[in-house]
Amino acid sequence: MFGGGEEHFAPPDEFDVDSLKRFGVLCGQLRHAEKPKQQLIEKMCADADAVGTSMAAKEIAAGAVIRHIKSWTGLKQLCGWYVLDKLAKDYPDTFRYLFGLQLLELGADHIPWEDPKLAPKYESLAEHWSCVFPGHIVDLIYKGRRERLWAAAHPDDVKKQKEEEEKPWAEEEPRRRWPRRVRPTLSRVSARKLLLGNGLHATAPTRP
């Protein structure tokens, strides 16, 4: 029974050679996917599920899809999103749960809503997510979409808003700076007087 941190010291999951080979096949297909074709998407989804039956195997397969989405742009990135969408719909007990943990971050940072060519494809893809993922996460993704589109259409307003937000911090920063400590220095005369006052003789150093 876990609960006191013992789970962090559990031995790592082990994967057999066949599972690792299937995982390598999935990664290779994702890497070489150029356009989101239906047959290719179905094949990658089948290969992702075939990596292994354990939850650990599902996690590394889902991680490969998420890494692909974060690493690529354009149509290659869209391939990863189609794979994520289909896996989440076809395997709710495993992949939907795993993708749901990171969907908000992915949707906020890795959907090119500003792209006029790809945005309609993402809108068509995401319009059914409320039936797949938690509704509040989907609502936050669409909220972020509206904010990004507004920012793209009003760059001057965004710049002005950012300057207004940073102005109080810019005014406060000088007050937080402590003055540099100045190390006191003695002139030769003052140093000689100090030495003589202590009963010492100031002599010039001799060269060896």
Side-chain angles (χ1 to χ4, degrees), residues 152-183:
H154 304 83
D156 295 336
D157 294 337
V158 173
K159 182 179 179 181
K160 182 178 179 181
Q161 181 180 357
K162 184 177 180 180
E163 292 175 350
E164 292 177 352
E165 291 175 353
E166 294 179 351
K167 185 177 179 180
W169 294 101
E171 295 176 351
E172 184 67 20
E173 185 64 21
R175 303 174 186 175
R176 294 176 178 270
R177 293 178 181 173
W178 291 88
R180 292 193 309 171
R181 296 180 62 182
V182 179
R183 181 176 297 178

Side-chain angles (χ1 to χ4, degrees), residues 185-196:
T185 58
L186 293 176
S187 64
R188 289 185 178 181
V189 176
S190 299
R192 182 179 179 82
K193 290 181 178 180
L194 181 61
L195 292 173
L196 293 175

Side-chain angles (χ1 to χ4, degrees), residues 109-208:
D109 299 333
H110 301 284
I111 296 182
W113 298 115
E114 301 88 351
D115 191 321
K117 295 182 178 180
L118 296 178
K121 298 182 181 297
Y122 281 101
E123 291 173 0
S124 177
L125 187 68
E127 65 182 0
H128 302 293
W129 280 355
S130 59
C131 300
V132 181
F133 298 106
H136 69 282
I137 294 180
V138 179
D139 292 340
L140 289 173
I141 291 175
Y142 274 104
K143 180 181 178 181
R145 169 183 173 272
R146 291 191 297 269
E147 292 177 351
R148 284 174 55 182
L149 291 177
W150 182 89
H154 304 83
D156 295 336
D157 294 337
V158 173
K159 182 179 179 181
K160 182 178 179 181
Q161 181 180 357
K162 184 177 180 180
E163 292 175 350
E164 292 177 352
E165 291 175 353
E166 294 179 351
K167 185 177 179 180
W169 294 101
E171 295 176 351
E172 184 67 20
E173 185 64 21
R175 303 174 186 175
R176 294 176 178 270
R177 293 178 181 173
W178 291 88
R180 292 193 309 171
R181 296 180 62 182
V182 179
R183 181 176 297 178
T185 58
L186 293 176
S187 64
R188 289 185 178 181
V189 176
S190 299
R192 182 179 179 82
K193 290 181 178 180
L194 181 61
L195 292 173
L196 293 175
N198 291 334
L200 301 176
H201 297 284
T203 58
T206 58
R207 295 183 180 180

Side-chain angles (χ1 to χ4, degrees), residues 55-71:
M55 196 62 176
K58 308 300 183 186
E59 287 178 357
I60 63 172
V65 177
I66 292 173
R67 183 176 66 249
H68 177 87
I69 292 173
K70 291 182 176 181
S71 302

Side-chain angles (χ1 to χ4, degrees), residues 20-39:
L20 295 177
K21 287 182 178 178
R22 290 190 290 267
F23 177 70
V25 170
L26 171 65
C27 293
Q29 289 181 334
L30 286 167
R31 185 168 57 252
H32 293 99
E34 297 294 338
K35 295 182 180 180
K37 299 179 180 180
Q38 181 177 356
Q39 185 176 1

Side-chain angles (χ1 to χ4, degrees), residues 74-94:
L75 292 176
K76 287 181 70 71
Q77 184 185 50
L78 184 59
C79 289
W81 275 109
Y82 277 124
V83 173
L84 180 150
D85 178 77
K86 183 170 177 54
L87 285 173
K89 292 176 180 177
D90 292 349
Y91 306 97
D93 295 334
T94 53

